[in-house]
Amino acid sequence: MALMTSEQYVESLRKMKRNIYFQGRKLDNPVDHPLLRPSMNCLIETYDMAHMPEYEDLMTATSQFTGHKINRFNNIHKSVEDLNKKVKLQRLMGQRTGSCFQRCVIMDCANAFYSTTYEIDQAHGTSYFERFKKFIIRVQDEDLIVAGALTDPKGDRSCAIGEGQDPDLYLHVVERRPDGVVVTGAKAHLTGITNAHEVVVLPTQALKPGQEDYCIAFSVPLDAPGITMIVGRQSCDTRKLEAGADIDLGNARYGGVEALTIFDHVFVPNENIYLNGEVEFAGMLVERFAGYHRNSYGGCKSGVGDVAIGAASLIAQYNGTERASHVKDKLIEMTQLNEQLYCAGIASSAEGWQTKAGNYMVDLLLANVCKLNVTRYPYEIVRLMEDIAGGIMVTAPSEADLRSEEVGHYVEKFMVGNHVNAENRLRALRLCENLALGTAAVGYRTESMHGAGSPQAQKIMISRQGNFAQKKQYAKRIAGIHGEGSQ
Ligand code: SF4
Ligand code: FE
């Protein structure tokens, strides 16, 4: 089986005994919990769309290992065309869900692991590549959702890893056995982990000799003993728990989810370990994963941006301001900014290159430029959307007031707009609110800043990849600077 149905996916999660907490309580039935369902619906969509002929080209790929048709989110990129389709798929999914749809992390992790394990084996005579290949073939064939875990909690950032504070603030090996290792620590803001079957874990940053116990990469099922997920608080999240919640959610169907995930003495068998102490390769693994994920943001954030532009256009129409020249101008500016994000995503794919292992890697300079733009433009897009929507976006009455026998008629009467009833105008306003300030803001706004690394991380990569020496040569040649005294 290489493509599951969404029903099979839901049932497969139902069978797992996972430790998921929200607001201090363990969730007995996370699969049907109203807080988590919208985020799971995004994953359900990735299964359903893979079976729809109109999306087959983007949603599926052919495995180079088995020849089977697989979900593209589990693909190892075989060409530049695959890298382009990755970004197009992400834009499509952003447009469909208006949120973070969570499944990209394994695609980006798997491709980074694939090329890096190959190079580790060449340098060290290890057998990580074949192990990882076996893992990804199983993920493809069973059509699994795999989360990725990168960011350690870190505590006091001024302390070196493992020094001056609780060593568990960075996930590390606490016991070595003949059949595997035992790890302890935690990983923060893990996208989609409550909807995943397994997780791939990698170090948080480049490492150096002496930090071997922190240099561990592996995969484990999410019902492995010792794993606990604590769901992150999102703005307005408990609206989902209100009886019959619909309009006030803005996006009742979809959402993202992140969780702080604890690894308390988790056993990892040898066959699931893909990096173990080869400190000089930790940086390559992290850099490649981050590169792929920064390229991804050119797709997913422009897709959600399309929803934001759509919501702004719609509310302008409902408010009767659509024809005002300043509103048109704002919509054009939103579109320009959004397409710039997409341009950099596609460009970093189009300039992709083949790794020693044979899969394709994105252009790191362009991927980092893409993500650095993402740390700014969605904020501006949201600012313009809020400008167009008006203050009513945050002061409008609730759905309960609209349905109230006592005051409902007032809401109906005073919330109307341009040829639109109060209910539909409220729906458009709540969608704007959700994107700007509600649960989707996690995936659209703050994630644009910090997801796939904070802006400073991109600036470091841009300064490394920017090739200033070469650019000086261009300038010198044109300015006629050469010979003695031109250094
Ligand atoms: Fe995918 Fe974007 Fe969410 Fe990352 S932030 S998992 S790229 S949708
Ligand atoms: Fe993300």
Side-chain angles (χ1 to χ4, degrees):
M1 175 180 68
L3 285 181
M4 265 206 271
T5 64
S6 57
E7 291 78 16
Q8 288 169 323
Y9 160 61
V10 172
E11 284 317 304
S12 66
L13 280 193
R14 218 182 273 291
K15 286 187 194 132
M16 296 177 71
K17 297 265 170 284
R18 298 169 299 156
N19 267 330
I20 304 178
Y21 282 77
F22 179 66
Q23 289 194 311
R25 290 219 179 92
K26 185 170 170 179
L27 304 183
D28 298 329
N29 178 7
V31 167
D32 297 308
H33 198 283
L35 190 99
L36 297 181
R37 234 330 144 128
S39 69
M40 189 193 256
N41 284 342
C42 292
L43 281 313
I44 286 176
E45 199 75 16
T46 69
Y47 285 100
D48 285 341
M49 287 168 71
H51 292 278
M52 297 180 193
E54 63 269 42
Y55 300 120
E56 187 185 10
D57 185 47
L58 288 184
M59 294 299 305
T60 67
T62 303
S63 168
Q64 62 268 60
F65 311 118
T66 61
H68 297 162
K69 190 200 236 188
I70 55 166
N71 195 296
R72 186 173 293 281
F73 283 106
N74 291 334
N75 186 36
I76 297 293
H77 310 301
K78 298 176 286 296
S79 60
V80 162
E81 192 190 351
D82 267 354
L83 292 176
N84 283 333
K85 283 187 180 173
K86 158 194 196 304
V87 174
K88 289 179 185 191
L89 161 65
Q90 288 162 323
R91 186 162 189 175
L92 170 71
M93 290 301 307
Q95 292 165 342
R96 288 281 283 204
T97 62
S99 80
C100 166
F101 40 87
Q102 308 145 53
R103 201 169 173 178
C104 326
V105 187
I106 183 56
M107 176 167 53
D108 294 343
C109 257
N111 278 277
F113 272 73
Y114 191 79
S115 62
T116 308
T117 53
Y118 185 89
E119 291 182 41
I120 303 171
D121 287 357
Q122 281 196 325
H124 288 272
T126 41
S127 49
Y128 298 134
F129 180 69
E130 284 306 320
R131 273 186 204 171
F132 189 76
K133 209 160 101 178
K134 213 166 142 196
F135 167 73
I136 196 65
I137 290 173
R138 182 170 64 79
V139 168
Q140 291 180 344
D141 269 348
E142 295 179 17
D143 204 3
L144 300 178
I145 305 277
V146 182
L150 175 83
T151 312
D152 289 309
K154 299 191 188 84
D156 179 352
R157 273 76 171 158
S158 71
C159 293
I161 293 179
E163 291 172 25
Q165 61 176 346
D166 183 349
D168 295 348
L169 287 163
Y170 289 84
L171 186 139
H172 61 126
V173 175
V174 292
E175 190 187 337
R176 294 187 185 272
R177 298 186 194 165
D179 53 345
V181 298
V182 177
V183 298
T184 286
K187 292 284 182 179
H189 31 77
L190 295 197
T191 297
I193 194 150
T194 58
N195 300 317
H197 301 98
E198 304 198 12
V199 61
V200 165
V201 177
L202 64 160
T204 203
Q205 62 187 65
L207 297 168
K208 39 185 201 211
Q211 297 175 330
E212 283 75 9
D213 283 343
Y214 297 84
C215 186
I216 187 83
F218 59 89
S219 59
V220 274
L222 282 161
D223 53 2
I227 295 182
T228 302
M229 296 166 249
I230 306 174
V231 176
R233 195 76 219 258
Q234 298 179 344
S235 174
C236 311
D237 51 6
T238 46
R239 287 190 193 183
K240 291 178 194 156
L241 306 181
E242 293 169 7
D246 177 13
I247 297 176
D248 292 353
L249 300 183
N251 182 351
R253 199 185 300 188
Y254 305 109
V257 70
E258 283 79 21
L260 175 67
T261 302
I262 320 300
F263 296 77
D264 188 356
H265 292 85
V266 173
F267 175 67
V268 183
N270 285 329
E271 59 269 25
N272 289 12
I273 298 174
Y274 314 113
L275 170 79
N276 191 357
E278 296 81 5
V279 283
E280 74 277 24
F281 283 97
M284 179 190 284
L285 186 60
V286 172
E287 202 171 280
R288 289 188 178 177
F289 167 58
Y292 281 120
H293 211 52
R294 289 170 193 171
N295 152 276
S296 289
Y297 274 41
C300 77
K301 297 297 179 259
S302 60
V304 180
D306 288 328
V307 177
I309 295 166
S313 291
L314 193 62
I315 199 61
Q317 179 193 328
Y318 289 172
N319 287 349
T321 57
E322 197 178 21
R323 297 206 176 151
S325 62
H326 71 96
V327 170
K328 282 187 194 158
D329 194 58
K330 283 164 191 154
L331 289 168
I332 291 165
E333 196 177 336
M334 291 167 83
T335 304
Q336 178 211 351
L337 292 167
N338 200 45
E339 296 303 330
Q340 280 185 35
L341 300 180
Y342 185 60
C343 288
I346 286 290
S348 52
S349 285
E351 292 288 306
W353 48 276
Q354 191 170 28
T355 70
K356 288 182 187 162
N359 65 332
Y360 276 72
M361 178 69 212
V362 297
D363 181 280
L364 280 176
L365 176 59
L366 295 176
N368 279 278
V369 168
C370 174
K371 173 65 214 324
L372 193 59
N373 287 342
V374 170
T375 65
R376 296 178 182 152
Y377 300 173
Y379 285 80
E380 187 60 14
I381 290 169
V382 159
R383 189 184 73 78
L384 292 164
M385 180 187 72
E386 287 189 33
D387 184 352
I388 292 170
I392 196 71
M393 182 188 104
V394 289
T395 62
S398 67
E399 179 172 5
D401 294 308
L402 177 72
R403 309 281 183 227
S404 155
E405 281 189 14
E406 287 116 85
V407 295
H409 61 286
Y410 289 136
V411 179
E412 294 273 13
K413 179 179 166 72
F414 292 111
M415 284 295 115
V416 294
N418 169 29
H419 296 96
V420 66
N421 62 20
E423 174 170 335
N424 286 334
R425 184 155 172 257
L426 285 173
R427 283 185 184 278
L429 287 165
R430 291 294 176 205
L431 173 58
C432 293
E433 183 201 27
N434 178 265
L435 288 161
L437 306 163
T439 51
V442 178
Y444 188 52
R445 250 176 21 127
T446 311
E447 190 179 53
S448 288
M449 178 69 78
H450 294 292
S454 307
Q456 192 55 25
Q458 286 106 66
K459 287 187 181 175
I460 291 167
M461 282 302 292
I462 290 170
S463 81
R464 272 197 221 145
Q465 300 278 329
N467 203 348
F468 298 108
Q470 176 72 62
K471 285 166 186 156
K472 272 188 202 167
Q473 291 308 319
Y474 299 143
K476 278 182 172 179
R477 183 177 164 274
I478 290 170
I481 300 170
H482 47 76
E484 194 82 352
S486 69
Q487 301 311 308

